[in-house]
Amino acid sequence: MDNYFYGWYFKCQSETQTLSIIPAVHRSGQKKSCSIQVITKNHAWSVAYPAAAFHRTGKDIWIGKNQFGERGIHLALHTPELDICGDLRFGALCPLKYDIMGPFSLFPFLECRHSVQSMKHLVCGSMNVNGQEYSFQNAYGYWEGDEGHSFPKEYAWTQCGFPGGSLMLSVADVPIAGFHFRGIISAVLWKGKEYRLATYLGAKTMLAQEGRLRIIQGDLELEARLLEKVRSPLKAPVHGDMARTIHENAACQACFKFRKGDYTLFAFKTNQASFEYELRQ
């Protein structure tokens, strides 16, 4: 494939601090490169690397001296705009029971494939970001990934860890063979039980506007509402080229509600949600 990208999204969050890190490799035609993006509650940075800086060792990936994998993250990244160094160690990962894409994982020509490596795991360690210490002791971690050639033209994505659980929800325009449909993938981990809402299981979007999402599947209903403007600019792929700018809040105010039949499993407001909202009204 001439055009492609592959990236991981790591989120580490304590009660007071959030740090998200996105290592990625991308190719557009003969142009191949890699990058590391770093996001905090109020800032975002993107650092480009030559393709030769990327390599694998076992289950880990390296970009320069920076290492990422199931055991944790090591960063030693020094530029005029971003100076970050430190180590974060991960506890046991919590993967989903099966691929979040379900049968769509078998489709050969999807523009973007999503994966979830861990819904929730412990994070310990520290990172120094431009002189500010980010300390994580028995903190919360989340890990997902994307690969393909382009991010969806329109989509919304949110993720949140909370006492007793974790959730992720994505609603996106999916083009296949000249047709388009609104695809849904969502996983909810609640008190040790995994729930899944997805297009391939009959999920439907009942509301997707003004930062609000409402998904129904049988007797399950999941609602998410963004309560503030998305602000941090990130780079995203278009045919393998990191030429698109999207916006994300790594830690923002949002409301979530999850119901099964007449019973509300949880409903809460938080200031620690991650949210990207690229849907037209």
Side-chain angles (χ1 to χ4, degrees):
M1 182 185 294
D2 289 337
N3 304 318
Y4 72 85
F5 77 95
Y6 175 82
W8 281 343
Y9 177 96
F10 296 92
K11 177 181 176 182
C12 304
Q13 193 166 57
S14 70
E15 293 183 357
T16 59
Q17 294 178 307
T18 300
L19 184 65
S20 295
I21 304 163
I22 310 172
V25 59
H26 13 81
R27 175 174 175 171
S28 178
Q30 297 303 310
K31 176 187 174 184
K32 185 177 180 182
S33 60
C34 47
S35 63
I36 298 175
Q37 298 190 73
V38 176
I39 317 153
T40 64
K41 182 175 182 178
N42 298 310
H43 299 91
W45 301 268
S46 180
V47 180
Y49 283 82
F54 178 88
H55 66 278
R56 289 179 175 270
T57 55
K59 295 182 179 181
D60 292 351
I61 64 171
W62 291 75
I63 296 180
K65 297 180 179 180
N66 307 284
Q67 183 181 9
F68 310 86
E70 60 185 19
R71 293 169 296 179
I73 298 172
H74 169 76
L75 291 182
L77 196 162
H78 309 286
T79 73
E81 294 77 26
L82 177 63
D83 189 278
I84 179 171
C85 60
D87 291 276
L88 300 176
R89 301 175 303 279
F90 296 166
L93 303 183
C94 182
L96 297 176
K97 293 179 179 178
Y98 64 97
D99 196 314
I100 189 64
M101 298 294 290
F104 285 100
S105 63
L106 303 175
F107 282 44
F109 303 116
L110 291 179
E111 66 176 358
C112 184
R113 298 172 185 273
H114 198 74
S115 61
V116 176
Q117 278 76 24
S118 179
M119 288 292 291
K120 199 170 190 180
H121 53 267
L122 289 179
V123 178
C124 293
S126 64
M127 285 284 174
N128 188 288
V129 183
N130 286 351
Q132 181 177 353
E133 194 76 9
Y134 283 74
S135 180
F136 301 97
Q137 300 300 325
N138 294 320
Y140 152 78
Y142 172 80
W143 176 12
E144 67 175 28
D146 288 288
E147 61 179 311
H149 63 79
S150 302
F151 261 28
K153 182 179 179 180
E154 294 186 32
Y155 74 96
W157 169 89
T158 185
Q159 194 282 322
C160 188
F162 50 95
S166 173
L167 67 86
M168 66 78 55
L169 167 63
S170 179
V171 177
D173 174 77
V174 181
I176 295 182
F179 296 93
H180 290 252
F181 67 92
R182 182 161 280 181
I184 302 163
I185 50 174
S186 176
V188 178
L189 186 67
W190 174 241
K191 294 186 176 180
K193 185 173 181 179
E194 178 185 317
Y195 299 86
R196 184 176 302 214
L197 297 87
T199 300
Y200 54 82
L201 296 176
K204 295 182 180 180
T205 306
M206 307 306 293
L207 177 66
Q209 63 182 20
E210 299 178 349
R212 299 179 64 187
L213 301 169
R214 180 167 168 255
I215 310 300
I216 289 181
Q217 176 183 295
D219 64 349
L220 297 176
E221 179 178 347
L222 177 61
E223 293 185 60
R225 184 178 181 182
L226 176 64
L227 298 177
E228 59 184 272
K229 183 179 179 180
V230 285
R231 55 182 178 268
S232 296
L234 301 179
K235 297 296 184 182
V238 180
H239 301 296
D241 187 11
M242 300 295 278
R244 178 180 175 187
T245 299
I246 61 173
H247 294 84
E248 175 183 321
N249 284 345
C252 67
Q253 289 190 12
C255 291
F256 297 95
K257 186 176 183 180
F258 188 45
R259 295 172 57 89
K260 181 176 175 61
D262 295 330
Y263 182 67
T264 299
L265 297 174
F266 59 73
F268 63 90
K269 178 181 177 181
T270 179
N271 60 3
Q272 292 193 314
S274 297
F275 231 111
E276 294 175 17
Y277 199 86
E278 299 286 330
L279 287 177
R280 294 179 183 175
Q281 303 303 324

